[in-house]
Amino acid sequence: MTGIQRLATLGFEVSDLDAWERFAVDVLGLTVGERRTDGSLALRMDERAQRIVLHPGSADDLAYLGFECDDEAALRALVGDLAAAGVAVTEGKPETREARGVASLFHCEDPSGIPLELSSGAATAGEPFRSELVRSGFVTGDEGVGHAVILASDIEATDRFYRKLLGMRLSDRIEGEVLPGVAVEIRFLHANPRHHTIAFASLPMPKRIHHFMIQVGAMDDVGHAYDRALDAGVPIANTLGQHPNDGMFSFYALTPSLFQVEFGWGELRVDDATWDDSAVYDRLSTWGHRPPAPTPNSNPTATPTAQEG
Ligand SMILES: [Fe+2]
């Protein structure tokens, strides 16, 4: 079966690059890679030259999801299948391919119009990766950069696209109240042993992305990141907690672009040979993941922040 192997990179269009750099480096513990002449900034989480790329612009939203195939043959087979299914796929320009540091690059869109980049042959950085703040390191490798929870304008069309065309598999579903009285179905799909690479819901959202998740190798590093976020005055969207489906111990913070990042540890891994994809959970969190407690100066009528796996 053709398909993608992992979410390798995330591209964001951000209006305040300096604030993002401080947030990514000083709070999340990423390191700065290449600063490009077009103003974009590559951030590193491992031996790769880029995992998260910040592009200056006004959208403050996801610019693209960077999916990866293990080799060029698999990528070209996938592109052929997408074209045969009527998906418009274009080959990346040499300058874009060079900027992304990949050997082969194609572009298409998912059913909600979210730009996807399909690639193979990603470059590693010349320098070894070392984060002074995240001693356990980030969980990447074959599992990719992490996961993204995205808008699905049509949940069934999105499900067909990511499963039938990109080759992902269903992990499980959550049907729960994301806000009081607002029930929604969230579907979680995996492309490798990471519990989910993509999750989506047809929830009205102001942006293409609700949150992205990055994972560290030790529970302590979630606690340290939580302390750094509090010390830096970063708004916490959801306090420390744990999800019932992926078992992730995590918190959610607002990025400078006002979508969220989930910072977590301990996610369950999926073995396709034995995994039962029929589970439906009725809550987003087993414990925690609460909106922050109101302070005397906070607006008592403010709506709590929606959270999703
Ligand atoms: Fe998540």
Side-chain angles (χ1 to χ4, degrees), residues 255-293:
T255 70
S257 291
L258 302 182
F259 54 82
Q260 298 176 23
V261 57
E262 179 182 13
F263 196 99
W265 166 82
E267 188 179 47
L268 279 183
R269 303 182 86 233
V270 171
D271 177 353
D272 277 314
T274 56
W275 187 258
D276 175 4
D277 67 4
S278 66
V280 182
Y281 297 87
D282 65 356
R283 64 200 65 196
L284 296 164
S285 301
T286 311
W287 59 270
H289 288 153
R290 308 250 176 130

Short mmCIF file of all heavy atoms in Angstrom, two decimals, residues 255-293:
data_model
loop_
_atom_site.label_atom_id
_atom_site.label_comp_id
_atom_site.label_asym_id
_atom_site.label_seq_id
_atom_site.Cartn_x
_atom_site.Cartn_y
_atom_site.Cartn_z
N THR A 255 0.44 29.38 21.64
CA THR A 255 1.61 29.89 20.92
C THR A 255 1.39 31.39 20.64
O THR A 255 0.27 31.89 20.78
CB THR A 255 1.78 29.17 19.57
OG1 THR A 255 0.72 29.57 18.70
CG2 THR A 255 1.78 27.65 19.75
N PRO A 256 2.43 32.08 20.23
CA PRO A 256 2.24 33.50 19.88
C PRO A 256 1.26 33.71 18.72
O PRO A 256 0.80 34.83 18.50
CB PRO A 256 3.66 33.95 19.49
CG PRO A 256 4.57 33.04 20.26
CD PRO A 256 3.87 31.71 20.25
N SER A 257 0.95 32.64 17.98
CA SER A 257 -0.04 32.76 16.90
C SER A 257 -1.45 32.39 17.35
O SER A 257 -2.38 32.33 16.54
CB SER A 257 0.37 31.85 15.72
OG SER A 257 1.53 32.35 15.09
N LEU A 258 -1.60 32.11 18.64
CA LEU A 258 -2.89 31.85 19.28
C LEU A 258 -3.55 30.54 18.88
O LEU A 258 -4.70 30.32 19.20
CB LEU A 258 -3.86 33.03 19.09
CG LEU A 258 -3.35 34.38 19.62
CD1 LEU A 258 -4.41 35.46 19.43
CD2 LEU A 258 -2.94 34.28 21.09
N PHE A 259 -2.84 29.66 18.16
CA PHE A 259 -3.25 28.26 18.21
C PHE A 259 -2.40 27.63 19.31
O PHE A 259 -1.55 28.29 19.91
CB PHE A 259 -3.12 27.56 16.84
CG PHE A 259 -1.77 27.65 16.17
CD1 PHE A 259 -0.74 26.78 16.54
CD2 PHE A 259 -1.52 28.60 15.19
CE1 PHE A 259 0.50 26.87 15.94
CE2 PHE A 259 -0.27 28.68 14.58
CZ PHE A 259 0.74 27.82 14.96
N GLN A 260 -2.65 26.36 19.60
CA GLN A 260 -2.03 25.78 20.80
C GLN A 260 -0.95 24.78 20.46
O GLN A 260 -0.90 24.24 19.36
CB GLN A 260 -3.12 25.09 21.64
CG GLN A 260 -4.18 26.04 22.14
CD GLN A 260 -5.30 25.35 22.88
OE1 GLN A 260 -5.13 24.24 23.40
NE2 GLN A 260 -6.45 25.99 22.95
N VAL A 261 -0.08 24.56 21.45
CA VAL A 261 0.89 23.48 21.38
C VAL A 261 0.63 22.56 22.58
O VAL A 261 0.37 23.05 23.68
CB VAL A 261 2.35 24.00 21.38
CG1 VAL A 261 2.64 24.87 22.59
CG2 VAL A 261 3.34 22.83 21.31
N GLU A 262 0.63 21.28 22.33
CA GLU A 262 0.55 20.28 23.40
C GLU A 262 1.97 19.77 23.62
O GLU A 262 2.64 19.37 22.67
CB GLU A 262 -0.38 19.14 23.00
CG GLU A 262 -0.47 18.05 24.08
CD GLU A 262 -1.36 16.87 23.69
OE1 GLU A 262 -1.72 16.75 22.50
OE2 GLU A 262 -1.69 16.07 24.57
N PHE A 263 2.39 19.79 24.87
CA PHE A 263 3.76 19.36 25.22
C PHE A 263 3.59 18.12 26.08
O PHE A 263 3.03 18.19 27.17
CB PHE A 263 4.46 20.49 25.97
CG PHE A 263 5.95 20.34 26.06
CD1 PHE A 263 6.78 21.03 25.19
CD2 PHE A 263 6.52 19.52 27.02
CE1 PHE A 263 8.16 20.90 25.27
CE2 PHE A 263 7.91 19.39 27.11
CZ PHE A 263 8.73 20.09 26.23
N GLY A 264 4.04 16.95 25.59
CA GLY A 264 3.65 15.73 26.28
C GLY A 264 4.72 14.68 26.39
O GLY A 264 5.82 14.78 25.84
N TRP A 265 4.35 13.66 27.13
CA TRP A 265 5.22 12.50 27.37
C TRP A 265 4.34 11.27 27.55
O TRP A 265 3.20 11.38 28.02
CB TRP A 265 6.04 12.72 28.64
CG TRP A 265 6.70 11.46 29.15
CD1 TRP A 265 7.87 10.92 28.72
CD2 TRP A 265 6.20 10.58 30.17
NE1 TRP A 265 8.13 9.76 29.39
CE2 TRP A 265 7.13 9.53 30.29
CE3 TRP A 265 5.06 10.58 30.97
CZ2 TRP A 265 6.96 8.48 31.20
CZ3 TRP A 265 4.89 9.54 31.88
CH2 TRP A 265 5.83 8.52 31.99
N GLY A 266 4.88 10.11 27.18
CA GLY A 266 4.26 8.84 27.57
C GLY A 266 3.12 8.38 26.68
O GLY A 266 2.24 7.65 27.15
N GLU A 267 3.14 8.76 25.42
CA GLU A 267 2.04 8.36 24.54
C GLU A 267 2.09 6.86 24.25
O GLU A 267 3.17 6.29 24.03
CB GLU A 267 2.13 9.14 23.23
CG GLU A 267 0.95 8.95 22.32
CD GLU A 267 1.08 9.77 21.04
OE1 GLU A 267 2.16 9.75 20.42
OE2 GLU A 267 0.12 10.43 20.67
N LEU A 268 0.93 6.23 24.22
CA LEU A 268 0.84 4.83 23.82
C LEU A 268 1.32 4.65 22.39
O LEU A 268 1.15 5.54 21.56
CB LEU A 268 -0.63 4.37 23.84
CG LEU A 268 -1.28 3.97 25.14
CD1 LEU A 268 -2.70 3.50 24.84
CD2 LEU A 268 -0.49 2.86 25.80
N ARG A 269 1.89 3.50 22.12
CA ARG A 269 2.30 3.19 20.74
C ARG A 269 1.37 2.13 20.18
O ARG A 269 0.89 1.25 20.90
CB ARG A 269 3.75 2.72 20.71
CG ARG A 269 4.69 3.75 21.31
CD ARG A 269 6.13 3.33 21.24
NE ARG A 269 6.74 3.70 19.96
CZ ARG A 269 7.38 2.86 19.16
NH1 ARG A 269 7.46 1.59 19.46
NH2 ARG A 269 7.93 3.29 18.05
N VAL A 270 1.10 2.26 18.90
CA VAL A 270 0.15 1.38 18.22
C VAL A 270 0.91 0.28 17.48
O VAL A 270 1.86 0.56 16.76
CB VAL A 270 -0.69 2.19 17.20
CG1 VAL A 270 -1.52 1.27 16.33
CG2 VAL A 270 -1.56 3.20 17.92
N ASP A 271 0.48 -0.96 17.70
CA ASP A 271 0.98 -2.09 16.89
C ASP A 271 -0.18 -2.51 15.99
O ASP A 271 -1.19 -3.04 16.46
CB ASP A 271 1.41 -3.23 17.81
CG ASP A 271 1.87 -4.45 17.02
OD1 ASP A 271 1.74 -4.47 15.78
OD2 ASP A 271 2.34 -5.42 17.67
N ASP A 272 -0.03 -2.27 14.69
CA ASP A 272 -1.14 -2.53 13.77
C ASP A 272 -1.57 -4.00 13.80
O ASP A 272 -2.72 -4.31 13.47
CB ASP A 272 -0.75 -2.14 12.34
CG ASP A 272 -0.95 -0.65 12.09
OD1 ASP A 272 -2.01 -0.13 12.49
OD2 ASP A 272 -0.05 -0.02 11.53
N ALA A 273 -0.67 -4.91 14.17
CA ALA A 273 -1.00 -6.34 14.15
C ALA A 273 -2.04 -6.68 15.20
O ALA A 273 -2.80 -7.65 15.05
CB ALA A 273 0.26 -7.17 14.36
N THR A 274 -2.07 -5.91 16.27
CA THR A 274 -2.96 -6.26 17.38
C THR A 274 -3.93 -5.14 17.77
O THR A 274 -4.78 -5.33 18.63
CB THR A 274 -2.13 -6.62 18.64
OG1 THR A 274 -1.27 -5.51 18.95
CG2 THR A 274 -1.27 -7.85 18.38
N TRP A 275 -3.80 -3.99 17.15
CA TRP A 275 -4.57 -2.82 17.58
C TRP A 275 -6.06 -2.98 17.24
O TRP A 275 -6.40 -3.36 16.12
CB TRP A 275 -4.03 -1.55 16.91
CG TRP A 275 -4.67 -0.29 17.43
CD1 TRP A 275 -5.65 0.44 16.83
CD2 TRP A 275 -4.36 0.37 18.66
NE1 TRP A 275 -5.98 1.51 17.62
CE2 TRP A 275 -5.21 1.50 18.74
CE3 TRP A 275 -3.46 0.10 19.69
CZ2 TRP A 275 -5.16 2.37 19.83
CZ3 TRP A 275 -3.43 0.99 20.78
CH2 TRP A 275 -4.26 2.10 20.83
N ASP A 276 -6.92 -2.64 18.20
CA ASP A 276 -8.37 -2.64 17.99
C ASP A 276 -8.80 -1.19 17.80
O ASP A 276 -8.66 -0.38 18.71
CB ASP A 276 -9.05 -3.26 19.21
CG ASP A 276 -10.57 -3.18 19.12
OD1 ASP A 276 -11.10 -2.71 18.09
OD2 ASP A 276 -11.23 -3.58 20.11
N ASP A 277 -9.29 -0.88 16.60
CA ASP A 277 -9.61 0.53 16.30
C ASP A 277 -11.06 0.89 16.61
O ASP A 277 -11.54 1.94 16.18
CB ASP A 277 -9.28 0.85 14.84
CG ASP A 277 -10.17 0.10 13.86
OD1 ASP A 277 -11.10 -0.61 14.31
OD2 ASP A 277 -9.93 0.24 12.64
N SER A 278 -11.75 0.03 17.35
CA SER A 278 -13.18 0.28 17.55
C SER A 278 -13.47 1.12 18.79
O SER A 278 -14.64 1.44 19.05
CB SER A 278 -13.92 -1.05 17.67
OG SER A 278 -13.51 -1.74 18.84
N ALA A 279 -12.45 1.47 19.57
CA ALA A 279 -12.72 2.17 20.83
C ALA A 279 -13.27 3.58 20.58
O ALA A 279 -12.80 4.30 19.69
CB ALA A 279 -11.43 2.27 21.65
N VAL A 280 -14.30 3.92 21.35
CA VAL A 280 -14.85 5.26 21.33
C VAL A 280 -14.85 5.77 22.77
O VAL A 280 -15.48 5.15 23.64
CB VAL A 280 -16.29 5.29 20.76
CG1 VAL A 280 -16.80 6.73 20.72
CG2 VAL A 280 -16.35 4.66 19.38
N TYR A 281 -14.14 6.83 23.03
CA TYR A 281 -14.05 7.39 24.37
C TYR A 281 -15.05 8.53 24.52
O TYR A 281 -15.38 9.20 23.53
CB TYR A 281 -12.62 7.88 24.65
CG TYR A 281 -11.62 6.75 24.62
CD1 TYR A 281 -11.04 6.36 23.41
CD2 TYR A 281 -11.26 6.08 25.78
CE1 TYR A 281 -10.13 5.31 23.37
CE2 TYR A 281 -10.36 5.03 25.75
CZ TYR A 281 -9.79 4.65 24.54
OH TYR A 281 -8.90 3.62 24.51
N ASP A 282 -15.52 8.73 25.74
CA ASP A 282 -16.57 9.73 25.94
C ASP A 282 -16.05 10.99 26.62
O ASP A 282 -16.82 11.84 27.02
CB ASP A 282 -17.74 9.13 26.73
CG ASP A 282 -17.36 8.75 28.15
OD1 ASP A 282 -16.16 8.87 28.52
OD2 ASP A 282 -18.25 8.30 28.89
N ARG A 283 -14.74 11.08 26.77
CA ARG A 283 -14.20 12.30 27.36
C ARG A 283 -12.83 12.58 26.76
O ARG A 283 -12.16 11.67 26.26
CB ARG A 283 -14.11 12.18 28.87
CG ARG A 283 -13.16 11.11 29.38
CD ARG A 283 -13.48 10.74 30.80
NE ARG A 283 -14.81 10.11 30.86
CZ ARG A 283 -15.50 9.95 31.97
NH1 ARG A 283 -15.05 10.40 33.12
NH2 ARG A 283 -16.68 9.36 31.96
N LEU A 284 -12.44 13.84 26.83
CA LEU A 284 -11.17 14.25 26.25
C LEU A 284 -10.01 13.93 27.16
O LEU A 284 -8.90 13.70 26.69
CB LEU A 284 -11.20 15.75 25.95
CG LEU A 284 -12.24 16.17 24.90
CD1 LEU A 284 -12.46 17.68 24.96
CD2 LEU A 284 -11.78 15.76 23.52
N SER A 285 -10.28 13.96 28.47
CA SER A 285 -9.18 13.77 29.41
C SER A 285 -9.64 12.90 30.56
O SER A 285 -10.76 13.02 31.04
CB SER A 285 -8.70 15.11 29.95
OG SER A 285 -8.27 15.92 28.87
N THR A 286 -8.75 12.00 31.01
CA THR A 286 -9.03 11.17 32.17
C THR A 286 -9.00 12.02 33.43
O THR A 286 -9.80 11.85 34.35
CB THR A 286 -7.97 10.06 32.27
OG1 THR A 286 -7.85 9.43 30.99
CG2 THR A 286 -8.34 9.04 33.30
N TRP A 287 -8.04 12.92 33.48
CA TRP A 287 -7.94 13.88 34.59
C TRP A 287 -7.22 15.12 34.06
O TRP A 287 -6.51 15.04 33.04
CB TRP A 287 -7.19 13.27 35.78
CG TRP A 287 -5.79 12.82 35.47
CD1 TRP A 287 -5.40 11.60 35.03
CD2 TRP A 287 -4.59 13.62 35.53
NE1 TRP A 287 -4.05 11.57 34.82
CE2 TRP A 287 -3.52 12.79 35.12
CE3 TRP A 287 -4.33 14.94 35.89
CZ2 TRP A 287 -2.20 13.26 35.06
CZ3 TRP A 287 -3.01 15.40 35.84
CH2 TRP A 287 -1.96 14.56 35.43
N GLY A 288 -7.38 16.21 34.72
CA GLY A 288 -6.64 17.42 34.39
C GLY A 288 -7.05 18.02 33.05
O GLY A 288 -8.19 17.91 32.63
N HIS A 289 -6.07 18.71 32.41
CA HIS A 289 -6.33 19.46 31.17
C HIS A 289 -7.44 20.49 31.39
O HIS A 289 -8.26 20.72 30.52
CB HIS A 289 -6.67 18.53 30.01
CG HIS A 289 -5.49 17.75 29.49
ND1 HIS A 289 -5.63 16.53 28.87
CD2 HIS A 289 -4.17 18.03 29.50
CE1 HIS A 289 -4.43 16.07 28.52
NE2 HIS A 289 -3.53 16.96 28.88
N ARG A 290 -7.43 21.07 32.58
CA ARG A 290 -8.47 22.06 32.90
C ARG A 290 -8.07 23.42 32.34
O ARG A 290 -6.88 23.74 32.25
CB ARG A 290 -8.59 22.19 34.41
CG ARG A 290 -8.78 20.88 35.11
CD ARG A 290 -10.15 20.76 35.65
NE ARG A 290 -10.36 19.44 36.24
CZ ARG A 290 -10.87 19.27 37.44
NH1 ARG A 290 -11.17 20.31 38.19
NH2 ARG A 290 -11.08 18.05 37.89
N PRO A 291 -9.07 24.23 32.03
CA PRO A 291 -8.72 25.62 31.76
C PRO A 291 -8.12 26.22 33.01
O PRO A 291 -8.44 25.79 34.12
CB PRO A 291 -10.05 26.28 31.39
CG PRO A 291 -11.10 25.33 31.81
CD PRO A 291 -10.49 23.97 31.98
N PRO A 292 -7.21 27.18 32.89
CA PRO A 292 -6.59 27.72 34.09
C PRO A 292 -7.61 28.36 35.00
O PRO A 292 -8.63 28.87 34.56
CB PRO A 292 -5.60 28.76 33.54
CG PRO A 292 -6.01 29.00 32.14
CD PRO A 292 -6.75 27.81 31.66
N ALA A 293 -7.32 28.29 36.31
CA ALA A 293 -8.25 28.87 37.29
C ALA A 293 -8.36 30.36 37.07
O ALA A 293 -7.37 31.03 36.76
CB ALA A 293 -7.72 28.59 38.69
#
